[in-house]
Amino acid sequence: MEGLKVSDANLVIYVHPSKSKKVSQAVLRDLGAMLLKFDERFEGVLLAYEANIIDKSAKILSGVHPYFGVTIKAKLLLFSPKPNMLLEGKVVKLRQESIHVIVLGFASAVITDEDIRNEFKHRTKHGEEMFVSRAHKHHVIKVGTMVRFLVKR
């Protein structure tokens, strides 16, 4: 699937002096706080990381709170979809005017009626909503179906 990329990064993590005896634990906790959140520095959502502290001597920052910076080298797995990328997701909700999809188990996407191919017609059968292809009757989109779609924005 497009949108996933592995990136090498050199980062500086700022650690409070109270964590000076457990620096590696503090660094991992800080990186863990970035998981599954969009970060402008990475231009995507951090999904996983592998980090190594490369500089054992930290620089103390002057100011009210004397944090110290720890330099790390990390390999990051990022989710960063761009327009015209092909993504795959699981249908979680259907309406006559939209298909709601979850990508990678955490990112939500909506495919509106103007983007659903004209060959698909919305139907309700036995109380279950679905989109059925007019050309191929066995092509059905319903809750639980995996679909591929292009990112518009």
Side-chain angles (χ1 to χ4, degrees), residues 98-121:
S98 63
I99 299 172
H100 299 258
V101 179
I102 296 291
V103 180
L104 295 174
F106 77 94
S108 175
V110 177
I111 305 167
T112 60
D113 58 351
E114 63 188 33
D115 297 319
I116 298 171
R117 292 192 315 219
N118 291 332
E119 78 174 80
F120 284 98
K121 180 180 177 186

Side-chain angles (χ1 to χ4, degrees), residues 71 79 151:
T71 306
F79 177 60
V151 176

